[in-house]
Amino acid sequence: MIQRRDIPSGELLIAGRWTGAFSNETSVTIDPTTELAITRIAKAGREDVDAAVTAARAAFDEGPWGRTHHEERAKILFRMADLMDERAEDFALREAMDMGMPYADFLAIIMPHCSGLFRFFGGLAMNAMEGGYRASYEADVRILTRREPLGVVAAITPFNFPLALSCSKIAPALAAGNTIIHKPASDTPLTALALAQVALDAGVPEGVYNLVTGPGGTLGDALIGDARVDKIAFTGSTGVGQGIMRKGADTMKRLTMELGGKSPNIVFADADIDAALQAAFWGIFWNKGEVCVAGSRILVEAPIYDEFVERLGAMARNAVIGDPLDPATQIGPIASRAEYDKVLGYVEEGRASSARLVAGGGTRQLGGKGLFIEPTVFADATNDLAISREEIFGPVVPVIPFADEDEAVRIANNTPYGLASGVQTGSLARGLKLADRIRAGTVWLNCWHKYHPNAPFGGYKMSGYGREQGAEALESYTQHKTVWANLA
Ligand code: NAP
């Protein structure tokens, strides 16, 4: 078992210096396993956002960052990646204590992905920021194109996967030459503090990287309303995203929106059942279901439906629930009391519905404490139930039977969301054909939870727009300038 240790209190990073909030206010962040405070965190207000925007604006307008040769920026991004890997265990401990993510999963999966994002975008900056030369209709006219950074980018990130979803914005933004203000979720700010220190230690110049912690409503409104901020890169709930879009119109903010999901995982009778069960189980229960792309509706073809439900239920009942610092743990605690109450509300909703509870439905504690919810499976669900339509964001899944391909696609697409999806089948041809018909930004065939830094990621429909990861993400942190030269 990894031991908990003291985490220093957190300050704001503004203009290259760590500082308390203007108001001197702080709040605490809670460990959902012990339900004890981990440490105090500075609680920023509008004045602090103003100072951070002033610093980021000055660093962009007057500093060298946006004008530095791409190779210089790339070197700093590569240094950040190396420092993150060196400090992997500290990041893992912070994420486990703050968010309840199993420590071992973080080290094996999340950490390499996060440092990989800095390496990928560092490399891409060296190649993809070049301009061009266009053919002219006029003999004495030359047309040059340049790719330029946007300016000041505010990254507003959610409580789940705090580090990964911060890196997926900060790495491309910095690579393209923007300056950053990061506002992490109030419930899980600890890795954001460590990442900002990495940026300082790697030599990111003063004012290029700023961090403000505090209440989303106040800080969000200050960032969105400030005309000196060029872009908001947001990951969070669809409702908050819509609010940002409305308010952002006043200052014509560039926006990327990574929002909620209710992703269908379609299992056909010709699938390798053992592998499909793994994809279904981890698809919904990884990180206790606090995953935007969780396979949160499992659709199963009639001939294997009974066997599949029975075996998935057994897997859920046998899952190892425990302290995320224990290497044996599969399912950690829900990140906060508010989320825990919300998820339990959906368990009650499921119990009161026409669906059948097959596994879970209860809570657990360790030594009388902890926000643990058992992996919960509701069988015989229909797609119109609240547990099938709304994002639960916890370890609770409805299983819905279907008769044929057309019915599976109809159910899969019958949702306001369009983030991820999956098809488990023995026929790759069928999988690829269905991939064309499913309206979602990601389709996993015979797998779930695959993410590479070079593969674009993002939503259709109410799951948002814009892409993170891949060359597509760099595009959304740049703008194109055309320079006309009259040689006559
Ligand atoms: P959230 O409540 O929308 O909060 C997200 C971030 O926005 C937090 O930093 C929050 O700060 C801030 N915020 C709150 N109110 C705001 C406002 N009025 N203006 C501007 N910012 C505001 O979401 P969450 O509960 O942290 O995260 C879960 C949601 O994120 C789920 O819906 C999930 O599907 C989605 N998500 C999507 C993706 C994706 O890639 N598509 C990935 C992960 C999660 P405070 O914490 O201080 O309130």
Side-chain angles (χ1 to χ4, degrees), residues 223-227 230 232 241-255 257 465:
L223 287 164
I224 299 154
D226 195 321
D230 296 284
I232 307 276
Q242 287 171 309
I244 293 175
M245 288 174 70
R246 284 188 200 101
K247 294 175 194 159
D250 290 341
T251 52
M252 197 58 75
K253 287 280 179 289
R254 275 76 183 144
L255 299 171
M257 288 281 148
Y465 57 85

Side-chain angles (χ1 to χ4, degrees), residues 201-277:
D201 295 344
V204 173
E206 201 170 282
V208 168
Y209 192 122
N210 305 276
L211 172 70
V212 288
T213 46
T218 310
L219 305 196
D221 281 354
L223 287 164
I224 299 154
D226 195 321
R228 299 172 297 167
V229 175
D230 296 284
K231 167 169 175 159
I232 307 276
F234 177 74
T235 298
S237 55
T238 296
V240 172
Q242 287 171 309
I244 293 175
M245 288 174 70
R246 284 188 200 101
K247 294 175 194 159
D250 290 341
T251 52
M252 197 58 75
K253 287 280 179 289
R254 275 76 183 144
L255 299 171
T256 40
M257 288 281 148
E258 294 284 358
L259 308 175
K262 193 73 188 176
S263 302
N265 187 359
I266 307 172
V267 183
F268 283 97
D270 65 359
D272 171 336
I273 302 268
D274 292 339
L277 280 162

Side-chain angles (χ1 to χ4, degrees), residues 155-161 165 168-169 183-188 213-224 232 234-241 243-244 247 257-262 290-293 339 342 391 393 417 419 457-459 463-464 468:
I156 302 180
T157 52
F159 78 81
N160 70 319
F161 296 112
L165 297 168
S168 62
K169 296 164 183 57
K183 151 57 192 127
S186 296
D187 284 329
T188 56
T213 46
T218 310
L219 305 196
D221 281 354
L223 287 164
I224 299 154
I232 307 276
F234 177 74
T235 298
S237 55
T238 296
V240 172
I244 293 175
K247 294 175 194 159
M257 288 281 148
E258 294 284 358
L259 308 175
K262 193 73 188 176
E290 293 180 314
V291 183
C292 54
V293 289
E339 287 296 314
K342 190 189 87 183
E391 187 183 43
F393 221 59
Y417 295 111
L419 193 55
F457 174 90
S463 294
E468 297 203 319

Side-chain angles (χ1 to χ4, degrees), residues 35-119:
E35 296 184 66
L36 297 173
I38 305 170
T39 192
R40 298 204 78 85
I41 305 290
K43 190 172 173 189
R46 296 191 80 92
E47 298 87 348
D48 303 290
V49 168
D50 184 63
V53 176
T54 302
R57 195 71 246 171
F60 185 78
D61 292 339
E62 296 147 32
W65 189 247
R67 293 188 286 276
T68 314
H69 191 277
H70 320 315
E71 191 177 327
E72 289 308 311
R73 287 204 300 273
K75 279 186 196 158
I76 291 184
L77 265 70
F78 294 150
R79 268 206 293 279
M80 283 186 72
D82 290 345
L83 285 173
M84 289 167 73
D85 285 340
E86 281 171 26
R87 299 174 192 179
E89 291 179 358
D90 178 53
F91 278 107
L93 185 78
R94 284 168 182 259
E95 213 84 305
M97 288 174 67
D98 218 10
M99 202 237 320
M101 163 137 222
Y103 181 90
D105 281 2
F106 182 90
L107 281 184
I109 301 165
I110 302 293
M111 199 66 228
H113 179 69
C114 291
S115 54
L117 282 165
F118 279 86
R119 292 197 180 90

Side-chain angles (χ1 to χ4, degrees), residues 125-199:
M126 295 217 282
N127 299 304
M129 288 298 289
E130 303 295 348
Y133 194 80
R134 299 291 162 99
S136 168
Y137 288 93
E138 298 174 66
D140 283 334
V141 168
R142 297 291 180 272
I143 310 166
L144 290 78
T145 58
R146 270 169 64 75
R147 229 175 149 178
E148 297 186 342
L150 298 174
V152 176
V153 172
I156 302 180
T157 52
F159 78 81
N160 70 319
F161 296 112
L163 184 67
L165 297 168
S166 304
C167 293
S168 62
K169 296 164 183 57
I170 292 169
L174 289 178
N178 301 282
T179 59
I180 276 281
I181 302 163
H182 182 200
K183 151 57 192 127
S186 296
D187 284 329
T188 56
L190 293 185
T191 49
L193 292 156
L195 184 64
Q197 187 60 50
V198 160

